[in-house]
Amino acid sequence: MTTLVIGANGQIGKQFCELAHQAGTSIKAMIRNEEQAAWFKDRGIDTVVGDLEGDFEHAFEGCDQVIFTAGSGPHTGPDKTLMIDLFGAIRTADIAKQKGLSRYIMISAMRSEVPLEAPEKMRPYMAAKFAADAHLRNSGLSYVILKPGRLTDEEASQQFASSFDEAGDNQISRANVAHALLHTVQTPSVINQEYLLLDGQRAIGDIIL
């Protein structure tokens, strides 16, 4: 089974791709341009060039499932949030459905179901995630939605929580999200489930079953 990684050049995407390649898990990393290819090629990771704001349907060829971990980033405006976090995710789901992919794994966000409760500057992003998640649920695809908390750059503890009461905090390292993604990819029986992901004290296999 080959997994297309959309957002492979992002901070979570790169860590996931490296983990997956080391684990012998077949992936294809979608990158925006050839300038991003060197990091992946140095590690022996297959790449395909595709633009979420343009043509990327060809990237799905030979793939069985897709991860969406792309994001417009904190330094762009609501226009990019609309085109990448919302419309890019919707188009990805529509193409995955058309191509008959077995599963769509979405990296969403903690509390994306209540965008108006987010800080004002984060509300467009949360609204985009809310709508993209809703589209995925109603797409007819098998899906998994992972909702990480506030992201940090700490090293992977590989210890998780799935509730605020359990975690005692609202954060998770990007490295831990990458490990959770790998576990999800390697557990194809998990479908139509949503998980809050925080740093905690449990193995990911005790949360994503």
Side-chain angles (χ1 to χ4, degrees):
M1 178 177 286
T2 298
T3 302
L4 176 63
V5 186
I6 295 180
N9 198 55
Q11 294 182 71
I12 293 172
K14 276 186 171 179
Q15 292 187 68
F16 165 76
C17 286
E18 192 155 33
L19 287 173
H21 182 66
Q22 290 171 354
T25 298
S26 179
I27 58 171
K28 185 196 293 186
M30 193 176 97
I31 54 177
R32 193 166 57 252
N33 53 58
E34 284 293 346
E35 294 175 0
Q36 297 176 344
W39 186 93
F40 297 92
K41 290 180 178 177
D42 286 348
R43 289 159 176 79
I45 298 170
D46 290 337
T47 61
V48 60
V49 174
D51 183 0
L52 274 177
E53 296 184 80
D55 177 28
F56 68 102
E57 186 171 338
H58 60 280
F60 289 74
E61 296 301 325
C63 294
D64 305 286
Q65 62 181 351
V66 60
I67 289 170
F68 190 91
T69 185
S72 55
H75 304 300
T76 60
D79 55 335
K80 291 294 185 183
T81 300
L82 281 173
M83 292 306 299
I84 294 174
D85 300 279
L86 177 56
F87 193 49
I90 287 173
R91 287 179 67 204
T92 300
D94 290 347
I95 295 169
K97 176 67 173 176
Q98 175 191 345
K99 298 283 188 182
L101 268 65
S102 63
R103 199 168 49 151
Y104 185 124
I105 302 169
M106 171 77 85
I107 296 295
S108 183
M110 169 184 69
R111 296 179 176 142
S112 58
E113 64 276 11
V114 283
L116 292 178
E117 294 185 9
E120 186 173 355
K121 67 179 182 179
M122 291 292 293
R123 288 176 188 173
Y125 172 77
M126 288 298 186
K129 285 298 187 186
F130 173 86
D133 291 352
H135 183 82
L136 177 57
R137 291 186 197 102
N138 292 299
S139 67
L141 287 162
S142 294
Y143 66 86
V144 181
I145 299 175
L146 303 181
K147 296 182 174 183
R150 183 175 60 83
L151 296 168
T152 74
D153 291 323
E154 298 298 320
E155 294 185 3
S157 68
Q158 298 191 53
Q159 296 292 302
F160 298 84
S162 58
S163 72
F164 297 112
D165 289 341
E166 179 188 359
D169 204 341
N170 67 351
Q171 69 183 30
I172 186 170
S173 68
R174 291 177 175 87
N176 272 349
V177 177
H179 278 277
L181 261 181
L182 180 61
H183 175 79
T184 304
V185 165
Q186 294 177 335
T187 315
S189 59
V190 176
I191 59 170
N192 302 338
Q193 299 292 327
E194 304 183 28
Y195 301 94
L196 174 66
L197 292 179
L198 303 167
D199 289 333
Q201 300 296 323
R202 288 197 286 159
I204 193 60
D206 293 334
I207 294 171
I208 300 176
L209 302 173

